[in-house]
Amino acid sequence: MVLGIESSCDETGAGIVQDGRLLAHVVASSMDEHARFGGVVPEIAARAHLHAFNPVVRQALDQAGLRIGQLDAVAVTTGPGLSGALQVGLAGAKTLAYAAGVPLYGVHHLAGHVAADTLEHGPLPDPCVVLIVSGGHTSLLLVRDLVREPILHLGDTLDDAAGECFDKVARILGLPYPGGPAVDGAAREGNPKAVAFPRPLTRPGDDPYAFSFSGLKTAAARWVEQHRRRGEEVPVADGAAALQEAVADVLTRKAMAACKAYEVKTLVVVGGVAANSRVRALAEKRCASAGIELRVPPMTLCTDNGAMIAAVGDLLVRSGAEPAPLDVSIDPSAPLTYASLTPLARPTLRAA
């Protein structure tokens, strides 16, 4: 029985997993508290985690019909993420592990997103290409054994992530925060061919697996400015549909190229933007044409949650991995190399 804790951003999540089976999944979001600022405010997020931690853990235990003493391990996100938010989650997880007398595992947040798919579709194929798309991350990975072998980064975003692009353009279009769902909703009434937005880094000679969405965001902003300068009403639905089409095209085009280059027959799409209807639809269409299996977690497991962290912890326990040391710390900018994350404390500089 592994309890997973997630607190890297604005969701406080607790999940319980046993032998790959999801027993509990509870999330408390502070998104509404950030909405009036148009983005996540770190201090507000940290305070929200403090208030939500105990109720969320208690509810997860109740959902699974367990007591703390019945847990076998606790897993917690230790990076990357907001420093204060991560500190709250780690402090709470250490307390729970100590109280239950069980080992603690530090988990990389992005590895959690990858493992989320196992809760719906079972063990990951070896190898598989994983496309992680969220508010802060856009990455292409080659994954073999998630908890035993290093994860190969094929490419990452060079600037804005796909979800960040949605958030920023949604604000420009006058749509509410968070931008992803707002753009998706508005796009249903629009024409995706109405605006010829660019497809960044898709020309011959460009890095085939790197992403860049800053230029796309700027192109959308200029398109809106042109309408307003002429005193015209901005066709929001068309802009949303065209933006969404551009993002989905770039994401799936690069993912398919990686599958072909590495002769991989399974593509896994995870992260908050995996809930986007056009990203899902275009991925399904292109995978079907190429004879590639597409795996996408349920929408409830796409956004940040404790279940995905528990899934990694469960795999670590069953693989015989060493737990984190007692002085395990957070790493807000942790690179993804292994699923288990136990960063070493930085050496203290002494005066001469």
Side-chain angles (χ1 to χ4, degrees), residues 59-101:
Q59 189 176 344
L61 290 168
D62 290 344
Q63 205 175 90
L66 298 173
R67 300 183 305 276
I68 289 180
Q70 293 175 282
L71 296 174
D72 296 303
V74 176
V76 60
T77 301
T78 48
L82 302 174
S83 179
L86 290 169
Q87 291 281 16
V88 173
L90 178 58
K94 283 184 174 182
T95 302
L96 289 170
Y98 180 81

Side-chain angles (χ1 to χ4, degrees), residues 45-326:
R47 286 198 297 270
H49 288 307
L50 280 170
H51 291 299
F53 187 91
N54 285 343
V56 164
V57 170
R58 192 179 303 115
Q59 189 176 344
L61 290 168
D62 290 344
Q63 205 175 90
L66 298 173
R67 300 183 305 276
I68 289 180
Q70 293 175 282
L71 296 174
D72 296 303
V74 176
V76 60
T77 301
T78 48
L82 302 174
S83 179
L86 290 169
Q87 291 281 16
V88 173
L90 178 58
K94 283 184 174 182
T95 302
L96 289 170
Y98 180 81
V102 297
L104 177 71
Y105 292 85
V107 172
H108 195 288
H109 175 77
L110 296 186
H113 276 302
V114 178
D117 183 72
T118 67
L119 299 174
E120 178 71 12
H121 300 119
L124 293 170
D126 180 2
C128 62
V129 168
V130 178
L131 173 64
I132 300 179
V133 276
S134 66
H137 305 279
T138 301
S139 301
L140 262 177
L141 313 173
L142 182 66
V143 177
R144 297 187 182 280
D145 187 312
L146 180 62
V147 298
R148 290 186 176 91
E149 297 185 38
I151 297 164
L152 177 60
H153 268 249
L154 303 179
D156 297 281
T157 184
L158 303 178
D159 40 58
D160 290 355
E164 186 178 0
C165 178
F166 279 143
D167 285 340
K168 290 179 177 178
V169 176
R171 185 188 305 178
I172 294 168
L173 292 171
L175 296 172
Y177 176 85
V183 168
D184 200 354
R188 290 170 189 158
E189 305 297 325
N191 177 6
K193 298 181 180 179
V195 191
F197 284 139
R199 269 56 171 171
L201 296 182
T202 56
R203 296 174 300 182
D206 289 337
D207 188 325
Y209 309 129
F211 299 94
S212 171
F213 293 104
S214 179
L216 178 57
K217 171 199 66 182
T218 301
R222 287 177 177 169
W223 176 77
V224 171
E225 287 171 5
Q226 287 171 0
H227 281 276
R228 290 175 176 163
R229 193 179 302 120
R230 295 193 296 260
E232 300 171 351
E233 183 177 349
V234 178
V236 173
D238 286 347
L243 174 77
Q244 182 171 263
E245 188 68 23
V247 171
D249 182 24
V250 171
L251 291 173
T252 56
R253 190 188 305 190
K254 288 177 176 283
M256 299 308 299
C259 289
K260 181 179 179 180
Y262 288 88
E263 299 181 346
V264 171
K265 293 299 182 183
T266 303
L267 171 65
V268 183
V269 183
V270 297
V273 180
N276 179 272
S277 62
R278 186 53 184 159
V279 171
R280 284 177 175 249
L282 195 53
E284 287 173 3
K285 179 181 178 181
R286 289 180 168 172
C287 281
S289 297
I292 293 173
E293 178 192 11
L294 175 66
R295 292 175 40 155
V296 185
M299 294 180 75
T300 56
L301 293 176
C302 285
T303 52
D304 295 349
N305 62 86
M308 69 186 196
I309 305 304
V312 178
D314 173 58
L315 292 171
L316 289 169
V317 171
R318 288 192 280 145
S319 70
E322 287 292 319
L326 293 176

Side-chain angles (χ1 to χ4, degrees), residues 7-12 30 33-34 40-52 82 84-86 88:
S7 69
S8 65
C9 192
D10 60 343
E11 277 96 12
T12 310
S30 59
E33 298 178 53
H34 304 284
V40 177
V41 180
E43 292 81 3
I44 292 176
R47 286 198 297 270
H49 288 307
L50 280 170
H51 291 299
L82 302 174
L86 290 169
V88 173

